[in-house]
Amino acid sequence: ARTLAAFAETHERAYPLYMAELRGLAHGVGVPLAHILALNLHQELAHFAPNRSALAPAAAHCSDYALHPWVAHNEDSAVDEAGTLFLAQVRIDNGGFTAAVYAGDLPSGAFGCNGHGLCFSLNSVEPHSAAYAARGRGFVSRELLRAARTMRAAIAIATADGQSVGHSYQLAALLPGGGGEIVQVEAVERGVHALTVVAPGGPPVFHSNHLRFIQPPVAQSISNSSAHRLARAQVLPVPTSAADLLRVLGDGVDTSFPVFHDAASRAAGDVSGEETLGSALIDVNAGSLSLFAGNPADPRSQRAVLAIARPGAGRRGVSARLPS
């Protein structure tokens, strides 16, 4: 209770608007604010639990593969969280946003795009060290949706000092005249971070759930699933298209720890305890966000394509373009 109160004080001061959102959510579902706040800070709180080894989450959720102009994302979570991920399309004065949202969470702990053409996807990481009563990763990603209007602003938000555990971000910013920028960001406490630009014609960047680029290396926990997914991506042919990226995200050749998780993967021997709740593909050239229900490598999987507004285009937000 004391640790949660300390984190609550920090977030009341740093993010009063988002604390107000959580109060409204707690009121709407009829549970104490402390329950909702703890849900939104579960990874941070686990670092300071008396029996951390039993409570700390395994950073084994989500895979990303970026190759300009695309960012491909698998949203993974525990099997028992199937059915808890929703798509929120919000219209508010600053342009609103479209984001995948877990029940009870701030948007977004998964992926999203705001009304200024700034998109992101996320990977959980598990550094051994974390800052006490510092800012939670879920609040940082909520700030990206509200306040980031450019890549420079998004990087400043994602890498700012004062974070507790940190996160991995794939940032994608549409440019007014067409095209866009993609930057992979790793950020941990004390403002330590690494930026990897995914440039046109440059190499692709795969990220699972451990820190790869921060130097000197940060002490961290690396799950079997995260290590296996990265290893599998590294032995597959280098992708040159969006279809190639999606084939990697749908891969199941490593039957114990596949890249894509579902009932079929578990029947084949998947022991990760994970479920891929959905997949997404951001395209900064086309200005689109594609959503996949089912294996993204399977052309039979249900798909919807949403249009992302470019800065200065005269409209804001993300809207349906072509369900298929």
Side-chain angles (χ1 to χ4, degrees):
R2 182 178 301 174
T3 298
L4 181 60
F7 272 94
E9 182 179 350
T10 295
H11 289 83
E12 291 282 12
R13 183 172 60 252
Y15 300 117
L17 289 176
Y18 311 148
M19 288 297 291
E21 288 185 14
L22 293 184
R23 283 194 182 85
L25 178 60
H27 176 76
V29 299
V31 302
L33 173 62
H35 292 187
I36 296 295
L37 183 58
L39 179 66
N40 280 265
L41 292 169
H42 67 90
Q43 187 175 13
E44 290 77 11
L45 294 172
H47 271 266
F48 304 99
N51 185 11
R52 185 191 167 202
S53 61
L55 295 177
H61 298 161
C62 307
S63 300
D64 276 85
Y65 217 163
L67 170 70
H68 200 281
W70 306 286
V71 176
H73 175 82
N74 273 356
E75 182 57 31
D76 301 332
S77 195
V79 173
D80 61 7
E81 289 195 277
T84 65
L85 185 69
F86 304 90
L87 187 71
Q89 293 188 287
V90 179
R91 294 185 179 181
I92 48 181
D93 290 343
N94 73 345
F97 57 84
T98 293
V101 186
Y102 284 93
D105 277 4
L106 288 168
S108 168
F111 59 86
C113 298
N114 68 17
H116 307 289
L118 190 287
C119 303
F120 62 85
S121 61
L122 303 169
N123 310 116
S124 176
V125 294
E126 188 62 30
H128 288 172
S129 179
Y132 184 77
R135 297 198 302 274
R137 57 191 176 37
F139 288 81
V140 175
S141 57
R142 178 66 183 90
E143 181 77 348
L144 285 172
L145 287 175
R146 186 190 71 84
R149 295 180 177 229
T150 64
M151 178 61 78
R152 182 176 181 179
I155 290 172
I157 291 168
T159 62
D161 193 6
Q163 297 187 51
S164 180
V165 176
H167 225 152
S168 166
Y169 306 83
Q170 287 64 228
L171 302 176
L174 275 64
L175 297 175
E181 305 168 286
I182 299 173
V183 179
Q184 203 291 323
V185 180
E186 293 180 344
V188 294
E189 62 170 334
R190 299 190 178 93
V192 175
H193 64 273
L195 306 179
T196 303
V197 175
V198 183
V205 177
F206 184 89
H207 207 284
S208 50
N209 300 109
H210 58 277
L211 301 162
R212 297 187 58 199
F213 305 116
I214 289 179
Q215 295 296 328
V218 173
Q220 61 179 319
S221 298
I222 301 176
S223 70
N224 285 329
S225 176
S226 182
H228 278 244
R229 281 178 279 132
L230 174 61
R232 178 61 184 157
Q234 290 176 329
V235 300
L236 287 169
V238 176
T240 60
S241 66
D244 290 346
L245 296 176
L246 295 175
R247 275 192 287 272
V248 176
L249 291 193
D251 188 80
V253 169
D254 183 339
T255 55
S256 295
F257 296 100
V259 181
F260 183 84
H261 312 277
D262 63 0
S265 75
R266 288 190 291 278
D270 185 349
V271 296
S272 68
E274 299 163 35
E275 177 84 3
T276 301
L277 305 183
S279 301
L281 179 73
I282 300 163
D283 185 334
V284 298
N285 282 356
S288 63
L289 171 65
S290 299
L291 306 175
F292 302 85
N295 191 313
D298 186 343
R300 298 169 298 178
S301 292
Q302 186 178 3
R303 175 183 178 186
V305 182
L306 310 181
I308 308 167
R310 290 189 180 277
R315 62 182 176 84
R316 292 181 176 179
V318 184
S319 59
R321 173 186 286 175
L322 178 66
S324 61

